[in-house]
């Protein structure tokens, strides 16, 4: 009988000091785990952001190597709530824009006025991408315009029949030739070239020359 | 007949299946709609927080040196959400700017700025929003005195809500004069602030910590409790009356969220003609309902403790190993009152409300009184027996 009590009570300390595990198991299904967004932070960082959940690092630890903390938050929207391609693009928008804007500004000499345009099958998502790029450029201290350079209808009719790899360089050349963009302006174009891909491409148009960034 | 039945069944089956399919789709739609409402509710608070932080930033470092009329050109909500959330956010930013004139932004009414305008020129005809074609607005004298437009874009990126705000000058080249990205993942934890008294992220975080910690790591709990001791089945020579205890002590939070606490207390119990008793107790408590004390719901703690109890008076006879005899009574008559000192191991549960009020129940094992003639057992778990049962209410200062 005593053995039975010991057996029943022995898991109690485990439940008392229970930390939710972000792996599928008894307490969480695979679907719930898939909706987690996890990142590894140092203990001081984790304490700063989540003071209720992560204890303050000891002074000795701060000076030396600190423990890392796996922080998992539930995604605001479940993975199946938005189209998969839009979700993939939007969920990493900040990071993608930071990389692209850094590359664009590093490869573009001088200090042009930047214009941004996004070419994406879903117009609402395209606007989100362009806004993110403009904001990122402006926050980094570049001169940015909200105006979107627009080519004439005849140009657009020709360009729409070309593959992306040829259409964007040609559009860039036409923009410069038609004075839609001057030599003091640059256009950062963001697009997907294949409807099936979930990664954005980027290119810069400066003085009529198109340069792919990614 | 059998063949006819089969034909009828095969004809009806697709109809039944279609009806079931449409019911399933309707149920799925209802489920998605319910989920969307729930998410929008959480999102709204996070979005309010980001707007608060944005306007607080403007009050500390205004974009414009003097009060400037600005058109709220666009508020876009996360992809997949509707205009209901958009209207709430528009109202919130409007309220914030009205109540915080130090932001130096005054919202201007400009219906033409957000409507579609048509402008024909030498290069062709352009149809666009007013804020995207300032020339068309100025030609129509429709700018309402405002020369700047404010754009707010909210987007869900994984577990974070991101706000991208920009202010554009309404001149032909549309230069962006201010841009800021704020994310709920790098911001402070959600904390609703008053519109009139916005706080910095650091101040909001400190408030959050203060709310979590209650009134500091040290509390002074005062407990009023009652303990009753089980009597032996059959003919017990004496029975112990319940003891009413008043305890006062100090409780220290061992973690910043009061997940673990430790307390030391002293208590006294007095009953006329029966006893005067003293108690010293140490207790360690663990929060069972989550890892953080709740700001809105009662918290349940489990605790273990060790007590030393000293009883002076007639009640002490019940805690003695031998049956009271005439000798005991004789001693009492001559002024030598009986005493009993024993220890108790305690386990229990306590429900706390915001670390101010509490109510608890507990069981006690009295290891030194296993052979006391007058003390029985309430609970017998084989390896441990609980001879005492108690309840208490506490107020923390």
């Amino acid at each position: 009988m005593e053995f039975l009590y010991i057996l029943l009570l022995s898991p109690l300390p485990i439940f008392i000091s229970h930390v939710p595990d972000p792996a599928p198991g008894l307490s969480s299904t695979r679907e719930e785990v898939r909706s987690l967004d996890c990142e590894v932070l140092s203990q001081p960082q984790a304490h700063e952001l989540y003071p209720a959940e992560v204890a303050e690092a000891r002074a000795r630890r701060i000076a030396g190597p600190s423990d890392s903390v796996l922080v998992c938050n539930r995604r605001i929207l479940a993975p199946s709530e938005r189209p998969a391609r839009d979700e993939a693009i939007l969920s990493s928008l900040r990071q993608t824009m930071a990389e692209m804007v850094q590359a664009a500004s590093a490869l573009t000499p001088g200090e042009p006025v930047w214009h941004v345009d996004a070419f994406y099958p879903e117009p609402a998502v395209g606007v989100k991408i362009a806004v993110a790029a403009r904001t990122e450029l402006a926050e980094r201290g570049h001169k940015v315009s909200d105006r979107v350079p627009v080519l004439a209808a005849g140009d657009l009719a020709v360009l729409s029949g070309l593959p992306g790899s040829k259409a964007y360089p040609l559009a860039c050349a036409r923009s410069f030739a038609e004075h839609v963009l001057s030599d003091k302006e640059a256009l950062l174009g963001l697009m997907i070239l294949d409807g099936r891909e979930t990664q954005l491409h980027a290119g810069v148009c400066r003085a009529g020359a198109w340069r792919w960034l990614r | 007949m059998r063949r006819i039945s089969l034909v009828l069944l095969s004809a009806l089956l697709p109809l039944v299946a279609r009806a079931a399919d449409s019911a399933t789709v309707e149920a799925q739609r209802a489920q998605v709609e319910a989920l969307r409402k729930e998410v929008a509710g959480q999102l709204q608070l996070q979005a309010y927080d980001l707007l608060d932080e944005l306007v607080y930033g403007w009050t500390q470092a205004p974009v414009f040196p003097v009060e400037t009329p600005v058109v709220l050109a666009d508020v876009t909500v996360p992809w997949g959400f509707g205009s209901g959330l958009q209207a709430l956010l528009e109202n919130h930013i409007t309220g914030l700017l009205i109540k915080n004139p130090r932001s130096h932004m005054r919202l201007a009414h400009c219906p033409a700025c957000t409507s579609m305008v048509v402008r024909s020129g030498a290069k062709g005809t352009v149809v666009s929003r007013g804020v995207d074609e300032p020339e068309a607005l100025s030609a129509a004298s429709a700018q309402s005195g405002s020369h700047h437009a404010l754009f707010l874009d909210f987007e869900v990126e994984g577990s974070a809500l991101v706000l991208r705000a920009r202010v554009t000058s309404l001149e032909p080249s549309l230069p962006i004069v201010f841009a800021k990205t704020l994310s709920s993942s790098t911001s402070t934890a959600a904390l609703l602030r008053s519109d009139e008294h916005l706080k910095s992220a650091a101040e909001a975080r400190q408030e959050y910590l203060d709310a979590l910690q209650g009134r500091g790591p040290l509390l002074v709990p005062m407990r009023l409790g009652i303990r009753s001791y089980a009597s032996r089945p059959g003919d017990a020579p004496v029975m112990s009356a319940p003891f009413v205890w008043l305890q006062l002590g100090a409780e220290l939070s061992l973690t910043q969220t009061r997940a673990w606490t430790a307390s030391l207390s002293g208590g006294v119990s007095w009953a006329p003609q029966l006893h005067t008793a003293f108690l010293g107790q140490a207790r360690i408590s663990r929060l069972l309902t989550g890892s953080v004390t709740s700001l809105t719901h009662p918290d349940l703690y489990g605790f273990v403790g060790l007590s030393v109890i000293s009883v002076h008076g007639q009640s002490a006879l019940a805690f003695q190993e031998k049956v009271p005899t005439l000798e005991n009574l004789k001693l009492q008559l001559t002024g030598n009152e009986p005493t009993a000192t024993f220890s108790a191991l305690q386990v229990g549960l306590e429900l706390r409300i915001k670390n101010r009020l509490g109510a608890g129940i507990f069981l006690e094992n009295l290891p030194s009184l296993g052979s006391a003639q007058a003390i029985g057992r309430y609970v017998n778990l084989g390896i441990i027996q609980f001879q005492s049962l108690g309840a208490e209410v506490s107020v923390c200062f």
Side-chain angles (χ1 to χ4, degrees):
Chain A
M1 190 64 182
E2 286 88 348
F3 178 73
L4 187 65
Y5 285 130
I6 292 169
L7 203 68
L8 287 172
L9 293 174
S10 58
L12 199 62
I14 298 168
F15 287 115
I16 286 175
S17 59
H18 176 67
V19 176
D21 189 349
L26 286 174
S27 59
S28 50
T29 63
R30 282 179 191 280
E31 283 69 31
E32 285 170 341
V33 169
R34 277 192 201 108
S35 68
L36 291 177
D37 192 14
C38 297
E39 61 178 334
V40 177
L41 297 175
S42 68
Q43 193 176 356
Q45 272 180 315
H47 173 68
E48 184 69 21
L49 289 172
Y50 307 98
E53 287 82 10
V54 183
E56 199 169 2
R58 290 178 194 163
R60 201 178 292 167
R61 283 279 176 81
I62 292 172
S66 61
D67 290 338
S68 56
V69 179
L70 180 68
V71 176
C72 291
N73 283 304
R74 197 162 296 285
R75 286 168 175 270
I76 295 175
L77 292 174
S80 57
E81 278 223 67
R82 301 197 280 201
R85 184 180 59 196
D86 299 347
E87 183 60 41
I89 298 280
L90 291 172
S91 60
S92 58
L93 199 55
R94 245 184 323 166
Q95 194 189 339
T96 312
M97 286 307 122
E99 288 168 11
M100 287 185 174
V101 163
Q102 193 173 9
S105 51
L107 293 171
T108 309
E111 188 49 59
V113 175
W114 286 92
H115 298 265
V116 178
D117 205 357
F119 307 93
Y120 193 83
E122 178 56 58
V125 180
V127 170
K128 297 264 177 196
I129 294 167
V131 164
R134 278 188 205 120
T135 312
E136 186 72 34
L137 275 165
E139 275 194 288
R140 287 175 184 243
H142 297 291
K143 292 177 193 164
V144 189
S145 169
D146 242 348
R147 185 174 286 285
V148 180
V150 183
L151 283 169
D155 287 317
L156 295 178
V158 173
L159 291 168
S160 61
L162 295 174
S165 56
K166 289 182 181 172
Y168 292 104
L170 182 60
C172 174
R174 289 292 299 157
S175 299
F176 190 66
E178 292 293 313
H179 305 293
V180 174
L181 285 175
S182 71
D183 57 353
K184 290 179 182 166
E185 293 172 306
L187 170 75
L188 173 63
L190 301 152
M191 71 289 289
I192 56 168
L193 295 174
D194 188 322
R196 291 165 296 182
E197 65 186 345
T198 55
Q199 184 175 299
L200 283 172
H201 296 272
V204 173
C205 175
R206 180 81 198 272
W210 178 261
R211 185 168 185 179
W212 288 104
L213 297 176
R214 182 160 120 172
Chain B
M1 185 65 190
R2 198 174 186 183
R3 191 170 293 171
I4 292 169
S5 303
L6 277 173
V7 169
L8 271 176
L9 190 64
S10 60
L12 282 173
L13 261 178
L15 290 175
V16 174
R18 201 173 300 160
D21 275 356
S22 69
T24 310
V25 169
E26 284 302 314
Q28 281 173 338
R29 275 189 197 148
Q31 211 171 356
V32 167
E33 201 49 44
L35 185 67
R36 214 174 276 280
K37 273 183 192 165
E38 190 188 323
V39 172
Q42 297 164 1
L43 213 60
Q44 180 197 339
L45 296 181
Q46 287 190 35
Y48 277 18
D49 252 17
L50 293 177
L51 286 176
D52 289 354
E53 202 170 332
L54 178 73
V55 175
Y56 176 80
W58 287 339
T59 61
Q60 300 303 302
V63 180
F64 305 109
V66 291
E67 191 180 76
T68 306
V70 174
V71 176
L72 183 58
D74 203 4
V75 177
T76 47
V77 292
W79 169 231
F81 286 85
S83 55
L85 183 60
Q86 187 180 337
L88 286 170
L89 298 178
E90 280 181 12
N91 283 345
H92 190 65
I93 185 77
T94 306
L96 283 172
L97 291 178
I98 289 170
K99 287 171 183 167
N100 290 277
R102 282 194 301 149
S103 65
H104 290 185
M105 281 201 198
R106 178 166 54 80
L107 285 182
H109 183 57
C110 177
C113 296
T114 48
S115 333
M116 297 304 279
V117 294
V118 182
R119 188 171 70 94
S120 292
K123 291 183 178 176
T125 300
V126 178
V127 181
S128 69
R129 288 186 312 174
V131 286
D132 297 326
E133 276 300 318
E135 297 98 320
L137 287 180
S138 56
S141 304
Q143 283 187 329
S144 307
S146 56
H147 296 283
H148 294 90
L150 170 62
F151 297 83
L152 300 171
D153 175 64
F154 290 90
E155 191 44 62
V156 168
E157 297 185 16
S159 60
L161 181 69
V162 178
L163 163 63
R164 294 183 175 91
R166 69 185 196 281
V167 177
T168 301
S169 178
L170 292 179
E171 54 190 89
S173 59
L174 289 174
I176 295 174
V177 295
F178 169 84
K180 182 90 178 166
T181 304
L182 293 169
S183 166
S184 61
S185 67
T186 52
S187 180
T188 185
L191 194 79
L192 284 176
R193 304 160 202 168
S194 142
D195 289 357
E196 292 90 347
H197 305 289
L198 295 177
K199 291 179 175 63
S200 68
E203 287 169 329
R205 183 175 182 276
Q206 191 54 50
E207 268 193 5
Y208 177 58
L209 284 175
D210 291 345
L212 280 176
Q213 290 171 347
R215 288 149 294 153
L218 197 66
L219 293 178
V220 178
M222 189 172 78
R223 299 186 185 118
L224 184 65
I226 186 163
R227 277 177 174 76
S228 84
Y229 297 91
S231 53
R232 287 234 184 230
D235 296 330
V238 282
M239 281 180 69
S240 171
F243 281 55
V244 176
W245 290 94
L246 182 67
Q247 284 176 250
L248 192 69
E251 183 183 281
L252 181 71
S253 171
L254 301 178
T255 60
Q256 77 269 30
T257 55
R258 290 197 168 275
W260 287 96
T261 63
S263 69
L264 275 175
S265 64
V268 63
S269 173
W270 177 75
Q273 310 290 327
L274 287 176
H275 68 258
T276 303
F278 303 96
L279 170 150
Q281 188 181 69
R283 194 187 269 190
I284 288 182
S285 304
R286 164 70 199 183
L287 181 65
L288 298 178
T289 46
S291 56
V292 186
T293 50
S294 170
L295 302 178
T296 51
H297 301 294
D299 299 303
L300 183 68
Y301 282 88
F303 60 82
V304 293
L306 178 68
S307 309
V308 177
I309 298 170
S310 178
V311 184
H312 305 262
Q314 280 187 36
S315 298
L317 292 173
F319 302 104
Q320 291 177 348
E321 289 191 9
K322 292 176 183 172
V323 179
T325 59
L326 283 173
E327 195 63 29
N328 296 122
L329 297 172
K330 189 179 164 189
L331 281 172
Q332 194 183 341
L333 288 172
T334 54
N336 292 323
E337 61 176 12
T339 61
T341 301
F342 53 91
S343 59
L345 296 170
Q346 195 179 43
V347 291
L349 293 169
E350 185 180 18
L351 200 65
R352 279 276 181 94
I353 302 170
K354 267 305 278 138
N355 285 310
R356 284 175 195 275
L357 294 172
I361 50 167
F362 54 84
L363 289 165
E364 281 180 332
N365 165 250
L366 312 174
S368 59
L369 298 182
S371 54
Q373 296 296 313
I375 304 294
R377 301 160 180 168
Y378 277 123
V379 180
N380 184 1
L381 295 180
I383 50 170
I384 188 166
Q385 294 93 38
F386 295 101
Q387 293 93 339
S388 167
L389 174 71
E392 63 184 21
V393 289
S394 55
V395 182
C396 298
F397 299 99

